């Protein structure tokens, strides 16, 4: 034993000059999981961001992408980050309402992410997210993006009686108010549901329906869109607090850099709208009065739903996120 120990000690001394410098020794790698499927445009943007973070963060902080819902199921990702199983995720509030129901309020934002950093919304979100779910809300990477109802059968008015619609918490109160029957699925199960005819439609943002080939099974899009799709980077609070000041500052800055690219969505959404038309997806439009009622109803029942499940934080979130 002594011999082994001595050998080890000698080896360590011999290696000392090759040991990493203090800065390198502090490099931390944070694993990140995506709640969205790997073949989504969100993951493509995420991977580009991670590439930037890792080249700027050499010797300081690295992010290791561990995959999508095959690694951790969509609706479990929030919990996995909250309890520290994975320190980071790309996720949307609707997927972690099991941790804190008000997470889904971010879809109701009518002020931009940049404005939210100015008007106290970002600070409030971070207070609530940290206290209720041990999550740091780092940065929003999707905004300027409405959700729509997509259908395989036409409707002539905002009445979904007799139709079975795929939802997540995002759409539940609104589609319920139009009398839909609903089935909740993660994005990864939408194609099969359409293929088998177990749903007559689904809620989804204006972009991204080509990523998972849903356009093949989609005949109509109902306009107008409603709400503001939110996809963000969240971080486990303990993992965040364990970082050095320099690492935290770096991560915050990288989050801000990601968020500052969100104008992309205005361009991309215009392209995706044109691509849907080209693919033969027809738009269903109601008259002006009905359209306004449809849109206003979405917000009315959306906020009522949030305030009902989160009476302690819902009103303040509404104040900070509404125009
Ligand atoms: O899966 C969904 O329809 C959903 O809730 C969502 C949320 C944000 C962006 C894209 C989809």
């Amino acid at each position: 034993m002594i011999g082994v120990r001595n050998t080890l000690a000698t080896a360590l001394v011999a290696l000392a000059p090759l040991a990493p410098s203090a800065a390198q020794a502090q490099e931390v790698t944070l694993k990140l999981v995506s709640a969205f499927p790997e073949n989504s445009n969100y993951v493509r943007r995420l991977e580009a961001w991670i590439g930037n973070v890792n080249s700027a963060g050499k010797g300081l902080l690295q992010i290791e992408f561990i995959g999508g819902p095959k690694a951790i199921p969509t609706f479990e990702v929030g919990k996995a980050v909250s309890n520290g199983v994975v320190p980071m995720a790309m996720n949307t509030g609707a997927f972690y309402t099991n941790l804190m129901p008000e997470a889904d309020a971010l879809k109701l934002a009518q002020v931009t992410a940049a404005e939210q950093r100015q008007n106290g919304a970002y600070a409030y979100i971070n207070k609530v997210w940290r206290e209720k779910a041990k999550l740091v809300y780092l940065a929003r990477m999707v905004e300027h993006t409405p959700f729509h109802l997509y259908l395989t059968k036409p409707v002539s008015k905002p009445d979904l009686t007799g139709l079975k619609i795929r939802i997540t918490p995002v759409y539940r109160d609104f589609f319920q108010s139009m009398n839909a029957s609903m089935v909740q699925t993660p994005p990864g199960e939408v194609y099969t549901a359409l293929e088998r005819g177990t749903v007559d439609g689904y809620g989804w943002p204006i972009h991204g329906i080509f990523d998972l080939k849903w356009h093949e099974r989609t005949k109509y899009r109902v306009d107008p869109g409603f709400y503001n799709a939110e996809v963000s980077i969240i971080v486990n609070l303990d993992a965040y607090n364990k970082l050095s000041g320099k690492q935290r500052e770096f991560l915050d800055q990288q989050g801000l850099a990601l968020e500052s690219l969100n104008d992309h969505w205005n361009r991309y959404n215009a392209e995706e709208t044109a691509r849907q038309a080209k693919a033969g997806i027809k738009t269903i439009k109601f008259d002006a009065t009905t359209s306004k009622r449809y849109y206003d109803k979405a917000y009315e029942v959306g906020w009522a739903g949030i305030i009902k499940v989160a009476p302690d934080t819902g009103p303040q979130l509404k104040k900070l996120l509404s125009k």
Side-chain angles (χ1 to χ4, degrees):
M1 278 309 285
I2 287 167
V4 171
R5 241 186 247 136
N6 280 345
T7 312
L8 189 61
T10 313
L12 285 174
V13 169
L15 277 173
L18 293 174
S21 70
Q24 279 170 332
Q26 283 168 10
E27 183 182 278
V28 65
T29 298
L30 299 172
K31 289 186 165 38
L32 185 150
V33 64
S34 166
F36 289 90
E38 280 174 37
N39 45 352
S40 66
N41 70 88
Y42 298 153
V43 169
R44 286 198 293 278
R45 282 183 78 72
L46 175 74
E47 288 185 306
W49 176 66
I50 292 173
N52 292 340
V53 170
N54 290 349
S55 53
K58 285 207 175 79
L60 186 64
L61 185 145
Q62 301 284 291
I63 297 175
E64 182 194 343
F65 180 48
I66 63 163
K70 285 193 194 89
I72 298 179
T74 294
F75 295 108
E76 301 298 321
V77 169
K79 268 192 196 145
V81 179
S82 178
N83 65 26
V85 166
V86 187
M88 290 183 80
M90 176 175 75
N91 207 348
T92 184
F95 297 164
Y96 56 95
T97 54
N98 50 1
L99 276 181
M100 42 180 297
E102 60 270 74
D104 192 32
L106 302 178
K107 72 184 180 195
L108 297 168
Q110 291 169 318
V111 292
T112 65
E115 285 169 313
Q116 290 172 40
R117 288 187 188 250
Q118 297 292 319
N119 80 351
Y122 180 82
Y124 185 67
I125 291 164
N126 259 294
K127 177 177 159 12
V128 175
W129 264 233
R130 288 172 199 218
E131 286 174 6
K132 289 205 171 185
K134 296 189 76 180
L135 293 177
V136 173
Y137 178 77
L138 191 73
R140 180 159 177 160
M141 60 178 281
V142 179
E143 57 175 325
H144 313 305
T145 297
F147 292 101
H148 285 261
L149 168 62
Y150 295 88
L151 293 169
T152 59
K153 300 169 180 166
V155 292
S156 56
K157 53 185 196 297
D159 179 357
L160 305 177
T161 307
L163 292 177
K164 194 159 185 188
I165 309 294
R166 174 269 173 185
I167 59 156
T168 67
V170 164
Y171 323 93
R172 181 181 293 280
D173 293 310
F174 186 35
F175 293 175
Q176 169 90 63
S177 78
M178 293 184 282
N179 213 14
S181 37
M182 296 175 286
V183 52
Q184 177 162 302
T185 84
E189 288 170 25
V190 174
Y191 186 87
T192 308
L194 288 166
E195 193 178 33
R196 295 191 180 153
T198 54
V199 298
D200 306 304
Y202 58 93
W204 191 256
I206 187 65
H207 58 228
I209 72 161
F210 297 90
D211 294 351
L212 298 163
K213 303 196 188 311
W214 303 342
H215 66 288
E216 290 175 358
R217 306 270 166 181
T218 304
K219 294 222 171 76
Y220 305 94
R221 184 188 72 240
V222 176
D223 283 2
F226 52 90
Y227 303 156
N228 185 354
E230 170 267 331
V231 178
S232 301
I233 303 293
I234 51 172
V235 186
N236 172 270
L237 180 59
D238 293 335
Y240 184 80
N241 284 338
K242 266 191 216 136
L243 298 174
S244 70
K246 211 172 150 199
Q247 288 165 333
R248 259 198 308 271
E249 198 181 306
F250 173 76
L251 190 58
D252 289 348
Q253 272 171 9
Q254 293 298 319
L256 198 56
L258 176 65
E259 196 171 283
S260 74
L261 303 175
N262 285 349
D263 263 357
H264 158 81
W265 299 108
N266 292 314
R267 295 185 295 276
Y268 189 60
N269 292 344
E271 285 166 25
E272 289 278 288
T273 307
R275 196 172 166 201
Q276 286 182 21
K278 230 175 154 185
I281 295 170
K282 296 190 177 68
T283 56
I284 294 174
K285 293 192 170 89
F286 308 124
D287 64 71
T289 313
T290 310
S291 287
K292 185 175 182 323
R293 228 183 266 144
Y294 176 87
Y295 183 87
D296 291 347
K297 179 86 165 272
Y299 282 92
E300 192 189 306
V301 300
W303 277 120
I306 294 293
I307 290 167
K308 190 172 168 204
V309 291
D312 51 338
T313 59
Q316 184 65 3
L317 285 166
K318 182 175 183 187
K319 198 166 134 195
L320 290 165
L321 295 175
S322 301
K323 255 224 157 79

